[in-house]
Coordinates of all heavy atoms in Angstrom, one line a residue:
M1 N 27.1 -1.2 0.9 CA 27.5 -2.6 0.8 C 28.5 -2.9 -0.4 O 28.2 -3.7 -1.2 CB 26.2 -3.3 0.6 CG 25.2 -3.4 1.7 SD 23.9 -4.5 1.3 CE 24.2 -5.8 2.5
T2 N 29.4 -2.1 -0.4 CA 30.4 -2.4 -1.5 C 31.3 -3.6 -1.2 O 31.5 -3.9 0.0 CB 31.4 -1.1 -1.6 OG1 32.0 -0.8 -0.3 CG2 30.7 0.2 -2.0
G3 N 31.8 -4.2 -2.1 CA 32.5 -5.4 -1.9 C 31.8 -6.6 -1.9 O 32.3 -7.8 -1.5
F4 N 30.4 -6.5 -1.9 CA 29.7 -7.8 -1.7 C 29.2 -8.4 -3.0 O 29.0 -7.6 -4.0 CB 28.3 -7.6 -1.0 CG 28.5 -7.2 0.5 CD1 28.8 -5.9 1.0 CD2 28.4 -8.2 1.4 CE1 29.0 -5.7 2.2 CE2 28.5 -8.1 2.8 CZ 28.8 -6.8 3.2
S5 N 29.1 -9.7 -3.2 CA 28.6 -10.3 -4.4 C 27.2 -10.1 -4.5 O 26.5 -9.7 -3.5 CB 28.9 -11.7 -4.4 OG 28.1 -12.4 -3.4
A6 N 26.5 -10.2 -5.5 CA 25.0 -10.2 -5.7 C 24.4 -11.0 -4.7 O 23.3 -10.6 -4.1 CB 24.7 -10.3 -7.2
R7 N 24.9 -12.3 -4.6 CA 24.1 -13.3 -3.8 C 24.3 -12.8 -2.2 O 23.3 -12.8 -1.6 CB 24.9 -14.6 -3.9 CG 24.5 -15.7 -2.9 CD 23.1 -16.0 -2.7 NE 22.6 -16.4 -4.1 CZ 21.2 -16.5 -4.3 NH1 20.3 -16.3 -3.5 NH2 20.8 -16.9 -5.5
Q8 N 25.4 -12.2 -1.8 CA 25.6 -11.6 -0.5 C 24.6 -10.6 -0.3 O 24.1 -10.5 0.8 CB 27.0 -11.4 -0.3 CG 27.9 -12.6 -0.2 CD 29.4 -12.0 -0.1 OE1 29.8 -11.2 -0.8 NE2 30.2 -12.7 0.7
M9 N 24.5 -9.7 -1.2 CA 23.6 -8.6 -1.1 C 22.3 -9.0 -1.0 O 21.4 -8.5 -0.1 CB 23.7 -7.6 -2.1 CG 23.1 -6.3 -2.1 SD 23.4 -4.9 -3.3 CE 25.1 -4.7 -3.1
L10 N 21.8 -10.0 -1.8 CA 20.4 -10.5 -1.8 C 20.2 -11.1 -0.5 O 19.1 -10.9 0.1 CB 20.1 -11.5 -3.0 CG 18.8 -12.0 -3.1 CD1 17.7 -10.8 -3.3 CD2 18.8 -12.9 -4.3
D11 N 21.0 -11.9 0.0 CA 20.8 -12.6 1.3 C 20.7 -11.6 2.4 O 19.9 -11.7 3.2 CB 22.1 -13.5 1.6 CG 22.0 -14.8 0.7 OD1 20.9 -15.0 0.1 OD2 23.1 -15.4 0.7
A12 N 21.5 -10.5 2.3 CA 21.4 -9.5 3.4 C 20.1 -8.7 3.4 O 19.5 -8.5 4.4 CB 22.7 -8.5 3.2
I13 N 19.7 -8.4 2.1 CA 18.3 -7.8 2.1 C 17.2 -8.6 2.5 O 16.4 -8.2 3.1 CB 18.0 -7.3 0.5 CG1 19.0 -6.2 0.2 CG2 16.7 -6.9 0.3 CD1 19.1 -5.9 -1.4
R14 N 17.3 -9.9 2.2 CA 16.2 -10.8 2.7 C 16.3 -10.9 4.3 O 15.2 -11.0 4.9 CB 16.5 -12.2 2.1 CG 16.0 -12.2 0.7 CD 16.1 -13.7 0.1 NE 15.5 -13.8 -1.2 CZ 16.0 -14.6 -2.1 NH1 16.9 -15.5 -1.9 NH2 15.3 -14.5 -3.3
R15 N 17.4 -11.0 4.8 CA 17.5 -11.1 6.4 C 17.1 -9.8 7.0 O 16.3 -9.9 7.9 CB 19.0 -11.2 6.8 CG 19.5 -12.6 7.0 CD 20.9 -12.7 7.7 NE 21.9 -11.7 7.2 CZ 22.6 -11.8 5.9 NH1 22.4 -13.0 5.3 NH2 23.4 -11.1 5.7
E16 N 17.4 -8.7 6.4 CA 16.8 -7.4 7.0 C 15.3 -7.2 6.9 O 14.9 -6.4 7.7 CB 17.7 -6.2 6.2 CG 19.2 -6.1 6.6 CD 19.8 -5.1 5.7 OE1 19.1 -4.3 5.1 OE2 21.1 -5.2 5.8
N17 N 14.9 -7.8 5.9 CA 13.4 -7.6 5.6 C 12.5 -8.7 6.0 O 11.3 -8.7 5.7 CB 13.1 -7.1 4.1 CG 13.7 -5.8 3.9 OD1 13.2 -4.8 4.4 ND2 14.7 -5.7 3.0
S18 N 13.1 -9.8 6.7 CA 12.3 -10.9 6.9 C 11.6 -10.7 8.3 O 12.0 -9.9 9.0 CB 13.1 -12.2 7.0 OG 14.1 -12.0 8.1
P19 N 10.4 -11.2 8.4 CA 9.7 -11.1 9.8 C 10.7 -11.6 10.8 O 11.2 -12.6 10.8 CB 8.4 -11.9 9.6 CG 8.4 -12.2 8.1 CD 9.6 -12.1 7.5
S20 N 10.5 -10.8 12.0 CA 11.2 -11.2 13.2 C 10.5 -10.8 14.4 O 9.5 -10.0 14.3 CB 12.6 -10.5 13.2 OG 12.4 -9.2 13.5
D21 N 10.7 -11.4 15.5 CA 10.1 -11.1 16.8 C 10.3 -9.7 17.2 O 9.6 -9.3 18.1 CB 10.4 -12.2 17.8 CG 9.8 -13.5 17.5 OD1 8.9 -13.6 16.7 OD2 10.6 -14.6 17.9
V22 N 11.5 -9.1 16.9 CA 11.8 -7.9 17.3 C 11.3 -6.8 16.4 O 11.3 -5.5 16.8 CB 13.3 -7.8 17.5 CG1 13.9 -8.6 18.5 CG2 14.1 -7.9 16.2
G23 N 10.6 -7.1 15.3 CA 10.2 -6.2 14.4 C 8.7 -5.9 14.7 O 8.3 -6.0 15.7
N24 N 7.9 -5.7 13.5 CA 6.5 -5.4 13.6 C 5.8 -6.7 13.9 O 5.8 -7.6 13.0 CB 6.0 -4.8 12.4 CG 4.7 -4.3 12.5 OD1 3.8 -5.1 13.0 ND2 4.3 -3.2 11.9
R25 N 5.2 -6.9 15.0 CA 4.6 -8.2 15.4 C 3.4 -8.4 14.5 O 3.1 -9.6 14.2 CB 4.1 -8.2 16.8 CG 5.2 -8.2 17.8 CD 4.7 -8.1 19.3 NE 3.7 -7.0 19.3 CZ 3.5 -6.2 20.3 NH1 4.1 -6.5 21.4 NH2 2.5 -5.3 20.3
L26 N 2.8 -7.5 13.9 CA 1.6 -7.7 13.1 C 2.0 -8.4 11.8 O 1.4 -9.3 11.3 CB 0.8 -6.4 12.8 CG -0.4 -6.5 11.9 CD1 -1.3 -7.5 12.4 CD2 -0.9 -5.1 11.7
V27 N 3.1 -7.9 11.3 CA 3.7 -8.5 9.9 C 3.9 -10.0 10.2 O 3.4 -10.8 9.4 CB 4.8 -7.8 9.5 CG1 5.6 -8.5 8.4 CG2 4.6 -6.3 9.2
S28 N 4.5 -10.4 11.4 CA 4.7 -11.7 11.7 C 3.4 -12.6 11.8 O 3.3 -13.7 11.2 CB 5.6 -11.9 12.9 OG 6.7 -11.3 12.8
L29 N 2.5 -12.0 12.4 CA 1.3 -12.6 12.5 C 0.4 -12.8 11.2 O -0.1 -13.9 10.8 CB 0.2 -11.8 13.5 CG 0.4 -11.8 14.9 CD1 -0.4 -10.9 15.8 CD2 0.3 -13.2 15.4
I30 N 0.5 -11.8 10.4 CA -0.1 -11.9 9.0 C 0.6 -12.9 8.2 O 0.0 -13.8 7.5 CB 0.0 -10.6 8.3 CG1 -1.1 -9.5 8.9 CG2 -0.7 -10.7 6.8 CD1 -1.0 -8.1 8.5
A31 N 1.9 -13.0 8.2 CA 2.8 -13.9 7.4 C 2.5 -15.4 8.0 O 2.5 -16.2 7.0 CB 4.2 -13.7 7.5
A32 N 2.2 -15.5 9.2 CA 1.9 -16.8 9.7 C 0.4 -17.2 9.6 O -0.1 -18.3 9.9 CB 2.3 -16.8 11.2
G33 N -0.4 -16.3 9.1 CA -1.9 -16.6 8.9 C -2.6 -16.5 10.2 O -3.7 -17.1 10.4
K34 N -2.0 -15.9 11.2 CA -2.7 -15.7 12.6 C -3.2 -14.5 12.9 O -3.7 -14.3 14.1 CB -1.5 -16.2 13.6 CG -1.1 -17.6 13.5 CD -0.1 -17.9 14.4 CE 0.5 -19.2 14.2 NZ 1.5 -19.6 15.2
A35 N -3.3 -13.5 12.0 CA -4.0 -12.2 12.3 C -5.4 -12.3 12.4 O -6.1 -13.2 11.5 CB -3.5 -11.2 11.3
S36 N -6.1 -11.7 13.2 CA -7.5 -11.8 13.3 C -8.2 -11.2 12.1 O -7.7 -10.1 11.6 CB -8.1 -11.3 14.7 OG -8.0 -9.9 14.5
L37 N -9.5 -11.6 11.9 CA -10.2 -10.9 10.6 C -10.5 -9.5 11.1 O -10.5 -8.6 10.2 CB -11.4 -11.7 10.5 CG -12.3 -11.4 9.3 CD1 -11.6 -11.5 8.0 CD2 -13.6 -12.1 9.2
Q38 N -10.7 -9.2 12.5 CA -11.0 -7.7 12.8 C -9.7 -6.9 12.5 O -9.9 -5.7 12.0 CB -11.2 -7.8 14.2 CG -11.5 -6.4 14.8 CD -11.9 -6.4 16.3 OE1 -11.7 -7.4 17.0 NE2 -12.2 -5.3 16.9
V39 N -8.6 -7.4 12.7 CA -7.4 -6.7 12.4 C -7.2 -6.4 11.0 O -6.9 -5.3 10.5 CB -6.0 -7.4 12.9 CG1 -4.8 -6.8 12.4 CG2 -6.1 -7.3 14.4
L40 N -7.5 -7.6 10.2 CA -7.4 -7.3 8.8 C -8.3 -6.4 8.2 O -8.1 -5.6 7.2 CB -7.5 -8.8 8.1 CG -6.5 -9.7 8.4 CD1 -6.7 -11.1 7.7 CD2 -5.0 -9.2 7.9
A41 N -9.5 -6.3 8.8 CA -10.7 -5.4 8.4 C -10.2 -4.0 8.7 O -10.4 -3.1 7.9 CB -12.0 -5.8 9.1
A42 N -9.5 -3.9 9.8 CA -9.0 -2.4 10.2 C -8.1 -2.0 9.2 O -8.1 -0.8 8.8 CB -8.5 -2.5 11.5
I43 N -7.1 -2.9 8.7 CA -6.1 -2.6 7.7 C -6.9 -2.1 6.4 O -6.5 -1.1 5.7 CB -5.2 -3.7 7.4 CG1 -4.3 -3.9 8.6 CG2 -4.4 -3.4 6.1 CD1 -3.5 -5.2 8.6
A44 N -8.0 -2.8 6.0 CA -8.7 -2.4 4.9 C -9.3 -1.1 5.0 O -9.3 -0.2 4.0 CB -9.9 -3.4 4.7
G45 N -9.9 -0.7 6.2 CA -10.5 0.6 6.4 C -9.4 1.6 6.3 O -9.7 2.8 5.7
E46 N -8.3 1.5 7.1 CA -7.2 2.5 6.9 C -6.7 2.7 5.5 O -6.5 3.7 5.1 CB -6.1 2.0 7.9 CG -6.5 2.1 9.4 CD -6.8 3.4 9.9 OE1 -6.3 4.5 9.4 OE2 -7.6 3.5 10.9
Q47 N -6.5 1.5 4.9 CA -6.0 1.6 3.5 C -7.0 2.4 2.6 O -6.5 3.1 1.7 CB -5.7 0.3 2.9 CG -4.9 0.2 1.6 CD -3.5 0.9 1.8 OE1 -2.9 0.8 2.9 NE2 -3.1 1.5 0.8
G48 N -8.2 2.2 2.8 CA -9.3 3.0 2.1 C -9.1 4.4 2.2 O -9.0 5.1 1.2
R49 N -8.9 4.9 3.4 CA -8.5 6.3 3.7 C -7.3 6.8 2.9 O -7.3 7.8 2.4 CB -8.5 6.6 5.1 CG -9.7 6.2 5.9 CD -10.4 7.6 6.2 NE -11.6 7.2 7.1 CZ -12.6 8.1 7.2 NH1 -12.5 9.2 6.6 NH2 -13.5 7.7 7.9
V50 N -6.3 6.0 3.0 CA -4.9 6.4 2.4 C -5.1 6.5 0.9 O -4.6 7.4 0.3 CB -3.8 5.3 2.9 CG1 -2.7 5.6 2.0 CG2 -3.5 5.4 4.4
I51 N -5.8 5.5 0.3 CA -5.9 5.5 -1.2 C -6.6 6.6 -1.6 O -6.2 7.4 -2.6 CB -6.5 4.2 -1.7 CG1 -5.5 3.0 -1.4 CG2 -7.1 4.2 -3.1 CD1 -6.2 1.6 -1.7
E52 N -7.8 7.0 -1.0 CA -8.5 8.3 -1.4 C -7.7 9.4 -1.2 O -7.8 10.3 -2.1 CB -9.8 8.4 -0.6 CG -10.8 7.1 -0.8 CD -11.2 7.1 -2.2 OE1 -11.3 8.1 -3.0 OE2 -11.3 6.1 -2.9
S53 N -6.9 9.6 -0.2 CA -6.1 10.8 0.0 C -5.0 10.8 -1.0 O -4.7 12.0 -1.7 CB -5.5 10.7 1.4 OG -4.6 11.8 1.6
D54 N -4.4 9.8 -1.3 CA -3.3 9.7 -2.3 C -3.9 10.1 -3.6 O -3.2 10.8 -4.5 CB -2.6 8.4 -2.4 CG -1.8 8.2 -1.1 OD1 -1.5 9.1 -0.4 OD2 -1.2 7.0 -1.0
L55 N -5.1 9.5 -4.0 CA -5.6 9.9 -5.4 C -6.0 11.3 -5.5 O -5.5 11.8 -6.6 CB -6.9 8.9 -5.4 CG -7.7 8.8 -6.8 CD1 -6.7 8.3 -7.9 CD2 -8.8 7.8 -6.8
R56 N -6.6 11.8 -4.4 CA -6.9 13.3 -4.5 C -5.5 14.0 -4.8 O -5.5 15.0 -5.6 CB -7.5 13.7 -3.3 CG -9.0 13.4 -3.2 CD -9.8 14.1 -2.2 NE -9.1 13.9 -0.8 CZ -9.4 12.9 0.0 NH1 -10.4 12.0 -0.4 NH2 -8.8 12.8 1.2
S57 N -4.5 13.7 -3.9 CA -3.2 14.5 -4.1 C -2.5 14.4 -5.5 O -2.2 15.2 -6.0 CB -2.3 14.0 -3.0 OG -2.8 14.3 -1.7
L58 N -2.7 13.2 -6.0 CA -2.0 12.8 -7.3 C -2.6 13.6 -8.4 O -2.0 14.2 -9.4 CB -1.8 11.4 -7.5 CG -1.0 10.7 -6.6 CD1 -1.1 9.1 -6.7 CD2 0.6 10.9 -6.8
L59 N -3.9 13.6 -8.4 CA -4.7 14.3 -9.4 C -4.5 15.8 -9.2 O -4.5 16.4 -10.3 CB -6.3 13.9 -9.3 CG -6.6 12.5 -9.7 CD1 -8.0 12.1 -9.3 CD2 -6.3 12.2 -11.2
L60 N -4.4 16.3 -8.0 CA -4.1 17.7 -7.8 C -2.8 18.1 -8.5 O -2.5 19.1 -9.2 CB -4.2 18.1 -6.5 CG -3.9 19.6 -6.0 CD1 -5.0 20.5 -6.9 CD2 -4.0 19.7 -4.6
L61 N -1.8 17.2 -8.1 CA -0.4 17.5 -8.6 C -0.4 17.4 -10.2 O 0.3 18.2 -10.8 CB 0.5 16.4 -8.0 CG 1.0 16.6 -6.6 CD1 1.6 15.5 -6.0 CD2 1.8 17.9 -6.5
S62 N -1.1 16.5 -10.7 CA -1.2 16.4 -12.2 C -1.8 17.7 -12.8 O -1.3 18.3 -13.8 CB -2.1 15.2 -12.6 OG -2.3 15.1 -14.0
A63 N -2.9 18.1 -12.1 CA -3.5 19.4 -12.7 C -2.6 20.6 -12.5 O -2.6 21.5 -13.4 CB -4.8 19.6 -11.9
R64 N -1.8 20.7 -11.4 CA -0.9 21.7 -11.3 C 0.3 21.7 -12.3 O 1.0 22.7 -12.4 CB -0.5 21.8 -9.8 CG -1.5 22.2 -8.8 CD -1.0 22.3 -7.5 NE -2.0 22.8 -6.6 CZ -1.8 22.9 -5.2 NH1 -0.7 22.5 -4.7 NH2 -2.8 23.3 -4.5
S65 N 0.4 20.6 -12.8 CA 1.6 20.5 -13.8 C 1.2 20.5 -15.2 O 1.8 20.1 -16.0 CB 2.3 19.0 -13.5 OG 2.7 18.8 -12.2
V66 N 0.1 21.3 -15.5 CA -0.5 21.2 -16.8 C 0.6 21.9 -17.8 O 0.7 21.7 -18.9 CB -1.8 22.1 -16.8 CG1 -1.5 23.5 -16.5 CG2 -2.4 21.9 -18.1
D67 N 1.6 22.7 -17.4 CA 2.6 23.2 -18.2 C 3.8 22.3 -18.4 O 4.7 22.6 -19.1 CB 3.0 24.6 -17.6 CG 1.9 25.7 -17.7 OD1 1.0 25.5 -18.5 OD2 1.9 26.6 -16.8
A68 N 3.7 21.2 -17.7 CA 4.8 20.2 -18.0 C 4.1 18.9 -18.1 O 3.9 18.0 -17.2 CB 5.6 20.2 -16.6
P69 N 3.9 18.6 -19.4 CA 3.1 17.4 -19.8 C 3.5 16.2 -19.3 O 2.9 15.3 -18.9 CB 3.1 17.5 -21.3 CG 3.4 18.8 -21.7 CD 4.3 19.4 -20.6
L70 N 4.9 15.9 -19.3 CA 5.5 14.7 -18.8 C 5.3 14.6 -17.4 O 5.0 13.4 -16.9 CB 7.0 14.5 -19.2 CG 7.2 14.4 -20.7 CD1 8.7 14.4 -20.9 CD2 6.7 13.2 -21.3
T71 N 5.4 15.5 -16.6 CA 5.2 15.6 -15.2 C 3.7 15.3 -14.9 O 3.4 14.4 -14.0 CB 5.6 16.9 -14.5 OG1 7.0 17.2 -14.8 CG2 5.5 16.9 -13.0
S72 N 2.9 15.9 -15.6 CA 1.4 15.7 -15.4 C 1.0 14.2 -15.8 O 0.3 13.6 -15.0 CB 0.6 16.7 -16.3 OG -0.7 16.5 -16.2
A73 N 1.7 13.8 -16.8 CA 1.4 12.4 -17.1 C 1.9 11.4 -16.0 O 1.2 10.3 -15.9 CB 2.0 12.1 -18.5
F74 N 3.0 11.8 -15.5 CA 3.6 10.9 -14.4 C 2.7 10.8 -13.3 O 2.3 9.7 -12.8 CB 4.9 11.5 -13.9 CG 5.4 10.8 -12.8 CD1 6.1 9.6 -12.8 CD2 5.4 11.5 -11.5 CE1 6.6 9.0 -11.7 CE2 6.0 10.8 -10.3 CZ 6.5 9.7 -10.4
F75 N 2.1 11.9 -12.8 CA 1.2 11.9 -11.7 C -0.2 11.2 -12.1 O -0.8 10.5 -11.3 CB 0.9 13.4 -11.2 CG 2.0 13.8 -10.5 CD1 2.7 15.1 -10.8 CD2 2.6 13.2 -9.3 CE1 3.8 15.6 -10.2 CE2 3.7 13.7 -8.7 CZ 4.3 14.9 -9.0
Q76 N -0.6 11.4 -13.3 CA -1.8 10.7 -13.7 C -1.6 9.1 -13.8 O -2.5 8.4 -13.4 CB -2.2 11.2 -15.2 CG -2.7 12.5 -15.3 CD -3.0 13.0 -16.7 OE1 -3.1 12.2 -17.6 NE2 -3.3 14.3 -16.8
T77 N -0.4 8.8 -14.2 CA -0.1 7.3 -14.1 C -0.1 6.8 -12.7 O -0.7 5.6 -12.3 CB 1.2 7.1 -14.8 OG1 1.2 7.5 -16.0 CG2 1.7 5.6 -14.7
L78 N 0.5 7.5 -11.7 CA 0.4 7.1 -10.3 C -1.1 7.1 -9.9 O -1.5 6.2 -9.1 CB 1.2 8.0 -9.4 CG 2.8 8.0 -9.7 CD1 3.4 9.1 -8.9 CD2 3.4 6.6 -9.4
A79 N -1.8 8.0 -10.2 CA -3.2 8.2 -9.8 C -4.0 7.0 -10.3 O -4.8 6.4 -9.7 CB -3.9 9.4 -10.3
H80 N -3.6 6.5 -11.7 CA -4.2 5.3 -12.2 C -4.0 4.1 -11.3 O -4.9 3.3 -11.0 CB -3.8 5.1 -13.6 CG -4.3 4.0 -14.2 ND1 -5.6 3.8 -14.8 CD2 -3.8 2.7 -14.5 CE1 -5.9 2.5 -15.2 NE2 -4.7 1.9 -15.1
G81 N -2.7 4.0 -10.8 CA -2.5 2.9 -9.9 C -3.2 3.0 -8.7 O -3.7 1.9 -8.2
E82 N -3.4 4.0 -8.2 CA -4.3 4.2 -6.9 C -5.7 3.8 -7.2 O -6.3 3.1 -6.3 CB -4.2 5.7 -6.3 CG -2.9 6.1 -5.7 CD -2.5 5.2 -4.5 OE1 -3.4 4.9 -3.6 OE2 -1.4 4.9 -4.5
G83 N -6.1 4.1 -8.4 CA -7.5 3.7 -8.8 C -7.6 2.2 -8.8 O -8.6 1.6 -8.3
I84 N -6.6 1.5 -9.4 CA -6.6 0.0 -9.3 C -6.6 -0.4 -8.0 O -7.3 -1.5 -7.7 CB -5.4 -0.4 -10.2 CG1 -5.5 -0.2 -11.7 CG2 -5.1 -1.9 -10.0 CD1 -4.2 -0.3 -12.5
A85 N -5.7 0.1 -7.1 CA -5.7 -0.3 -5.8 C -7.0 -0.2 -5.0 O -7.5 -1.1 -4.4 CB -4.6 0.5 -5.1
R86 N -7.7 0.9 -5.3 CA -9.0 1.1 -4.7 C -10.0 0.1 -5.2 O -10.8 -0.4 -4.4 CB -9.6 2.5 -5.2 CG -11.0 2.8 -4.6 CD -11.5 4.3 -4.8 NE -11.3 4.6 -6.3 CZ -11.6 5.7 -6.7 NH1 -11.9 6.7 -6.0 NH2 -11.7 5.9 -8.1
E87 N -10.0 -0.3 -6.5 CA -10.8 -1.4 -7.0 C -10.5 -2.6 -6.3 O -11.4 -3.4 -6.0 CB -10.7 -1.5 -8.5 CG -11.2 -0.4 -9.3 CD -10.8 -0.3 -10.7 OE1 -10.2 -1.5 -11.2 OE2 -11.0 0.6 -11.5
R88 N -9.2 -3.1 -6.1 CA -8.9 -4.3 -5.6 C -9.3 -4.3 -4.1 O -9.5 -5.4 -3.5 CB -7.5 -4.5 -5.8 CG -7.1 -4.6 -7.3 CD -6.5 -5.9 -7.7 NE -6.5 -5.9 -9.1 CZ -5.3 -5.8 -9.8 NH1 -4.1 -5.5 -9.3 NH2 -5.3 -5.9 -11.2
L89 N -9.2 -3.1 -3.4 CA -9.5 -3.1 -2.0 C -11.0 -3.5 -1.7 O -11.2 -4.0 -0.6 CB -9.3 -1.6 -1.5 CG -9.3 -1.4 0.0 CD1 -8.5 -2.3 0.8 CD2 -9.3 0.0 0.4
V90 N -11.9 -3.2 -2.7 CA -13.3 -3.7 -2.4 C -13.4 -5.1 -2.3 O -14.0 -5.5 -1.2 CB -14.0 -3.2 -3.7 CG1 -15.5 -3.8 -3.6 CG2 -14.0 -1.8 -3.9
D91 N -12.6 -6.0 -3.0 CA -12.7 -7.3 -2.7 C -12.1 -7.8 -1.5 O -12.5 -8.7 -0.6 CB -12.1 -8.1 -4.0 CG -12.9 -8.0 -5.3 OD1 -14.1 -7.8 -5.1 OD2 -12.1 -8.0 -6.3
Y92 N -10.9 -7.2 -1.1 CA -10.3 -7.5 0.1 C -11.0 -7.1 1.3 O -11.3 -8.0 2.2 CB -8.9 -6.7 0.1 CG -8.2 -6.8 1.6 CD1 -7.5 -8.0 1.9 CD2 -8.2 -5.7 2.4 CE1 -6.9 -8.2 3.1 CE2 -7.6 -5.9 3.6 CZ -7.0 -7.0 4.0 OH -6.3 -7.1 5.2
A93 N -11.7 -6.0 1.3 CA -12.5 -5.5 2.3 C -13.8 -6.4 2.5 O -14.1 -6.7 3.6 CB -13.0 -4.0 2.2
A94 N -14.3 -6.9 1.4 CA -15.5 -7.7 1.4 C -15.1 -9.0 2.1 O -15.8 -9.6 2.9 CB -16.1 -7.9 0.0
A95 N -13.8 -9.6 1.8 CA -13.5 -10.8 2.4 C -13.3 -10.7 3.9 O -13.3 -11.6 4.5 CB -12.1 -11.2 1.8
C96 N -13.0 -9.4 4.3 CA -12.8 -9.1 5.8 C -14.2 -8.8 6.5 O -14.3 -8.4 7.6 CB -12.0 -8.0 5.9 SG -10.2 -8.4 5.3
G97 N -15.3 -8.8 5.6 CA -16.6 -8.6 6.3 C -17.1 -7.1 6.1 O -18.0 -6.6 6.8
L98 N -16.3 -6.3 5.3 CA -16.8 -4.7 5.3 C -17.5 -4.7 4.0 O -17.0 -5.0 2.9 CB -15.5 -4.0 5.2 CG -14.5 -4.0 6.4 CD1 -13.3 -2.9 6.2 CD2 -15.3 -3.6 7.7
D99 N -18.8 -4.1 4.1 CA -19.5 -3.7 2.9 C -19.1 -2.2 2.5 O -18.3 -1.7 3.2 CB -20.9 -4.1 3.1 CG -21.6 -3.2 4.2 OD1 -21.0 -2.2 4.6 OD2 -22.8 -3.6 4.6
S100 N -19.9 -1.8 1.5 CA -19.5 -0.4 1.1 C -19.9 0.6 2.2 O -19.1 1.6 2.2 CB -20.3 -0.1 -0.2 OG -21.8 -0.2 0.1
T101 N -21.0 0.4 2.9 CA -21.2 1.3 4.1 C -20.1 1.3 5.2 O -19.8 2.4 5.6 CB -22.7 0.9 4.7 OG1 -23.7 1.0 3.7 CG2 -23.0 1.9 5.8
A102 N -19.7 0.1 5.4 CA -18.6 0.0 6.5 C -17.4 0.7 5.9 O -16.7 1.3 6.7 CB -18.5 -1.4 6.8
R103 N -17.1 0.5 4.7 CA -15.8 1.1 4.2 C -16.0 2.7 4.1 O -15.0 3.4 4.5 CB -15.5 0.6 2.8 CG -15.0 -0.7 2.6 CD -14.5 -1.2 1.3 NE -15.2 -0.5 0.2 CZ -16.3 -1.0 -0.5 NH1 -16.8 -2.2 0.1 NH2 -16.9 -0.5 -1.4
R104 N -17.1 3.2 3.8 CA -17.4 4.6 3.7 C -17.2 5.2 5.1 O -16.8 6.3 5.3 CB -18.7 4.9 3.1 CG -18.8 6.0 2.2 CD -20.0 6.2 1.4 NE -21.3 5.7 1.9 CZ -21.7 4.4 1.4 NH1 -21.2 3.9 0.5 NH2 -22.8 3.9 1.9
T105 N -17.9 4.5 6.2 CA -17.9 5.2 7.4 C -16.9 4.8 8.4 O -16.8 5.2 9.6 CB -19.3 4.7 8.1 OG1 -19.3 3.3 8.2 CG2 -20.4 5.2 7.3
Y106 N -15.9 4.0 7.9 CA -14.7 3.7 8.7 C -14.0 4.8 9.2 O -13.7 5.9 8.6 CB -13.7 2.8 7.9 CG -12.5 2.4 8.8 CD1 -12.6 1.2 9.6 CD2 -11.3 3.1 8.8 CE1 -11.6 0.8 10.4 CE2 -10.2 2.7 9.7 CZ -10.4 1.6 10.4 OH -9.4 1.3 11.2

């Protein structure tokens, strides 16, 4: 995107990333507030799995980087972020009707 002003570039990025009928229909439904609670609960369940996997991977990478303290700290920082996401997911999942058992057995 050379030769574009900052405004033109921002407008292009917004156009490319705005919900559309030809893109992911779920994103459009969520943006419009029309996604079902069941769908939102499924997202919470899936995200719980992803967060746990990411957290394990990041902690393992940190442990394997013990000889490179900055690298280890980087992975620990990312793992901390996943921990925050996991904590926040609890409230989101509860709002979708998932209790701790439902999250664990998803």
Side-chain angles (χ1 to χ4, degrees):
M1 292 189 107
T2 60
F4 286 89
S5 71
R7 170 59 55 196
Q8 289 170 320
M9 188 175 293
L10 182 59
D11 290 343
I13 290 169
R14 284 185 175 150
R15 266 192 317 278
E16 291 170 12
N17 292 295
S18 66
S20 72
D21 292 334
V22 295
N24 186 321
R25 292 178 311 211
L26 180 56
V27 172
S28 296
L29 288 173
I30 292 170
K34 295 179 180 178
S36 72
L37 191 58
Q38 182 180 6
V39 168
L40 297 175
I43 291 171
E46 294 293 333
Q47 193 59 35
R49 298 259 185 196
V50 169
I51 289 171
E52 292 303 322
S53 175
D54 287 352
L55 187 55
R56 282 190 306 270
S57 296
L58 291 166
L59 291 173
L60 179 61
L61 288 166
S62 176
R64 288 183 177 175
S65 302
V66 70
D67 294 334
L70 291 177
T71 302
S72 181
F74 172 75
F75 288 123
Q76 287 176 14
T77 299
L78 293 177
H80 177 73
E82 288 295 319
I84 293 169
R86 180 173 56 184
E87 291 170 7
R88 302 234 169 109
L89 183 63
V90 171
D91 291 335
Y92 172 75
C96 294
L98 299 178
D99 61 13
S100 60
T101 302
R103 286 192 323 273
R104 215 176 21 260
T105 59
Y106 179 86

